[in-house]
Amino acid sequence: VRTVFRTLFESGKANDFETMATTIADDCEWVMMPNMQKFKGKAACVELCKKGKLSSDKTPDIMTDVATAEWGAFEYMNNGTITKELVHLGALDPSFKLTADDSAIVGKKYSVAVCFVYRIIAEGKISQLHEYLDMEGLKKQFQPPPRP
């Protein structure tokens, strides 16, 4: 059975934001857990997904995709390449800064664990979504090796 989040995820990846919007409740709240930034309402959540196309389009390694009628969890490894847009995000929000000079890591490959835990309302739409991103694991990939 295809979960509502899988529909959101795959339609967003395909830039089909019209289909993606049908998975989100009008009063949805999306919280980025590393920095507790909140996006409220369908329009704000869709806009977040449009701007979220920050890495190269690699096929993710999906590890968990499970849902009941009331909640779900979706976990995957995001494998990609650091882009200028991702570096720009770090300039806007210090909690997303990866190194002292993120412009030096543009073009470098990365792998980061991402997990979404979400609530589903009776209409089958996502009403609350918490996005967890292993920022420390991501930052460690770009640190210089320890000196002997």
Side-chain angles (χ1 to χ4, degrees), residues 1-6 62-67 73-75 118:
V1 175
R2 183 183 178 92
T3 63
V4 65
F5 192 87
R6 180 66 71 104
I62 297 169
M63 298 178 290
T64 305
D65 183 13
V66 62
F74 185 87
E75 177 186 32
Y118 57 95

Side-chain angles (χ1 to χ4, degrees), residues 15-99:
N15 295 317
D16 180 0
F17 297 107
E18 194 172 307
T19 297
M20 193 201 73
T22 67
T23 67
I24 300 172
D26 290 341
D27 62 348
C28 183
E29 180 179 84
W30 189 313
V31 182
M32 305 291 285
M33 299 309 284
N35 63 359
M36 298 306 291
Q37 186 175 5
K38 292 181 182 177
F39 300 85
K40 293 186 178 207
K42 181 186 286 199
C45 294
V46 170
E47 189 60 26
L48 171 65
C49 292
K50 285 180 180 178
K51 288 181 178 174
K53 306 283 281 185
L54 298 174
S55 68
S56 55
D57 285 324
K58 302 278 186 203
T59 302
D61 295 323
I62 297 169
M63 298 178 290
T64 305
D65 183 13
V66 62
T68 69
E70 298 174 347
W71 68 271
F74 185 87
E75 177 186 32
Y76 71 103
M77 288 302 292
N78 181 348
N79 303 302
T81 304
I82 299 293
T83 62
K84 289 178 192 160
E85 291 82 7
L86 186 60
V87 168
H88 180 68
L89 180 65
L92 297 174
D93 183 342
S95 67
F96 284 100
K97 196 160 176 55
L98 300 173
T99 66

